[in-house]
Amino acid sequence: MNGLLCYCRPGFEPELAGELTERAAQAGVPGYARAQRNEAHVLFVCEDPAVLSARLPWRSLIFARQKLVLLAELRGIDPRDRIAPVLAALTALPPEQRVRYGELWVEHPDSDAAKPLAGLARSFGNALRPALRKAGLLTDKPQGRLPRLHLCFLDGDHVLLAQADPADSAPWPLGIPRLKLLPDAPSRSALKLEEALMTLLTPEERERLLRPGMRAADLGAAPGGWTWVLTREHLHVTSVDNGPLRTHVLDTGLVEHLRADGFRWKPEKPLDWMVCDMVEQPRRVAERMGEWIAQGWCRHAIFNLKLPMKKRWDETRLCLDLFQERAGRPLLIRAKQLYHDREEITVFASPA
């Protein structure tokens, strides 16, 4: 079977399936999605997955935590010898698909049903690595520039084999960055912005676009989680919210707290950044964010869109189109449902 294997948040398989189906059609690669709710992954079956993967970069996919090219699906594996079928499947690949891998990741979907497979995945990875090296399929030491081999256990006798391009995939197992909530973080929402900066911006973009001394606004800032993240990057922040901020956030000396409505306030001078995590109708947020860009009140923005319970892919497309229309200028737009998001997506926008 040929296709793409993508991981997602449990419960959002229909949204990812809809996104892959529509984006594949736009890319001229027909296919169909295999998905079941709460299984935390989607298979998109198509004739030429390498072409489709190239036309759907990982950073451009909204509901996919990880994007992989499927190599094989192994069912009914004998638990007494799982290594032999894996080696046989890899050596049976067409010559153009046979490569030497720089790393091996053995995983399981991030679902309640699959989490008990974590121990099996860990122990099997330790057993498989020497066998792959002996067969010449895996380098002696990890090499991050070579293709990465993924094994995804769906059950003890059911495994998906897939391949990742390290330059076009999430650099974390299961596509989940392991972030720790620091004791002085004002709220757990700080993890959303930390993950957004890691996921939506490349390392080069973070270095170029987040420089000490830049000025930002945080709309709907209380209790100060996103403001706190920006001050850790040494940005000067105007925090706009009628609610209070944590005292230690104000004590940084980098924060001005304005008690005002984040939907009405506007800066006197253009800012480098605007961030927003207000709980509001997503279309209203998209329109206001587009106005910020159109009026030149900020150059770069990161904001959240809280999605409805139904037709979330349709609402996502509508809101992003509305944002682009209201902005009225060419933009680089990336959106992703982050691990620390729930019923929402996070959007990054910057001049194209």
Side-chain angles (χ1 to χ4, degrees), residues 23-53:
R23 295 283 305 279
Q26 293 170 349
V29 182
Y32 64 93
R34 281 176 41 187
Q36 292 190 36
R37 190 175 290 277
N38 295 320
E39 290 196 343
H41 72 281
V42 172
L43 287 171
F44 188 83
V45 182
C46 63
E47 287 296 323
D48 201 335
V51 170
L52 181 59
S53 181

Side-chain angles (χ1 to χ4, degrees), residues 6-217:
C6 295
Y7 302 147
C8 66
R9 184 179 184 86
F12 279 77
E13 299 81 7
E15 286 70 31
L16 176 55
E19 179 183 11
L20 291 172
T21 301
E22 183 171 315
R23 295 283 305 279
Q26 293 170 349
V29 182
Y32 64 93
R34 281 176 41 187
Q36 292 190 36
R37 190 175 290 277
N38 295 320
E39 290 196 343
H41 72 281
V42 172
L43 287 171
F44 188 83
V45 182
C46 63
E47 287 296 323
D48 201 335
V51 170
L52 181 59
S53 181
R55 294 178 183 177
L56 300 184
W58 169 69
R59 289 189 188 277
S60 75
L61 293 172
I62 298 171
F63 291 101
R65 291 178 178 173
Q66 181 63 284
K67 182 198 70 169
L68 309 169
V69 173
L70 186 67
L71 300 174
E73 181 175 15
L74 306 181
R75 294 177 178 268
I77 296 177
D78 188 343
R80 294 170 296 182
D81 183 10
R82 296 182 175 96
I83 292 178
V86 172
L87 294 178
L90 292 174
T91 54
L93 291 173
E96 65 272 12
Q97 287 187 274
R98 295 178 198 164
V99 300
R100 195 178 189 206
Y101 298 101
E103 284 189 88
L104 166 68
W105 289 2
V106 182
E107 305 168 309
H108 59 85
D110 183 36
S111 66
D112 290 339
K115 285 178 182 177
L117 296 169
L120 170 61
R122 185 166 48 252
S123 61
F124 184 65
N126 292 335
L128 181 60
R129 285 185 183 89
L132 290 172
R133 292 185 178 119
K134 185 176 180 180
L137 295 170
L138 183 66
T139 57
D140 292 337
K141 295 181 179 180
Q143 295 190 21
R145 294 186 178 182
L146 293 179
R148 187 172 62 237
L149 178 62
H150 288 248
L151 269 72
C152 181
F153 273 98
L154 301 183
D155 209 333
D157 63 350
H158 188 184
V159 180
L160 301 176
L161 275 62
Q163 176 178 314
D165 175 357
D168 186 28
S169 61
W172 317 284
L174 285 179
I176 300 174
R178 299 300 175 179
L179 299 176
K180 182 179 180 181
L181 185 67
L182 297 179
D184 58 337
S187 64
R188 291 194 62 82
S189 69
L191 295 174
K192 296 183 192 178
L193 185 55
E194 285 194 34
E195 185 183 355
L197 295 174
M198 292 176 60
T199 304
L200 298 176
L201 279 70
T202 67
E204 295 75 20
E205 287 169 339
R206 289 196 296 273
E207 183 176 353
R208 176 168 52 87
L209 302 181
L210 285 168
R211 298 195 305 273
M214 283 185 164
R215 297 194 170 273

Side-chain angles (χ1 to χ4, degrees), residues 145-309:
R145 294 186 178 182
L146 293 179
R148 187 172 62 237
L149 178 62
H150 288 248
L151 269 72
C152 181
F153 273 98
L154 301 183
D155 209 333
D157 63 350
H158 188 184
V159 180
L160 301 176
L161 275 62
Q163 176 178 314
D165 175 357
D168 186 28
S169 61
W172 317 284
L174 285 179
I176 300 174
R178 299 300 175 179
L179 299 176
K180 182 179 180 181
L181 185 67
L182 297 179
D184 58 337
S187 64
R188 291 194 62 82
S189 69
L191 295 174
K192 296 183 192 178
L193 185 55
E194 285 194 34
E195 185 183 355
L197 295 174
M198 292 176 60
T199 304
L200 298 176
L201 279 70
T202 67
E204 295 75 20
E205 287 169 339
R206 289 196 296 273
E207 183 176 353
R208 176 168 52 87
L209 302 181
L210 285 168
R211 298 195 305 273
M214 283 185 164
R215 297 194 170 273
D218 181 3
L219 307 182
W226 285 31
T227 292
W228 176 80
V229 172
L230 294 176
T231 61
R232 287 169 57 83
E233 299 289 340
H234 307 288
L235 273 65
H236 295 272
V237 186
T238 300
S239 299
V240 183
D241 200 306
N242 283 310
L245 300 187
R246 296 292 172 83
T247 302
H248 70 278
V249 176
L250 296 171
D251 289 344
T252 61
L254 295 171
V255 178
E256 178 187 10
H257 180 201
L258 296 181
R259 293 186 178 271
D261 183 349
F263 267 99
R264 298 179 180 275
W265 181 82
K266 60 183 180 182
E268 295 180 358
K269 296 180 180 180
L271 302 172
D272 300 293
W273 279 91
M274 177 268 291
V275 300
C276 175
D277 188 27
M278 290 190 286
V279 180
E280 186 51 80
Q281 292 295 323
R283 298 183 195 185
R284 187 179 180 214
V285 173
E287 289 181 338
R288 183 61 173 171
M289 300 299 99
E291 185 179 8
W292 266 76
I293 299 294
Q295 297 296 332
W297 295 337
C298 68
R299 285 183 54 78
H300 317 288
I302 291 179
F303 56 91
N304 273 355
L305 296 173
K306 317 293 181 181
L307 299 178
M309 294 302 296

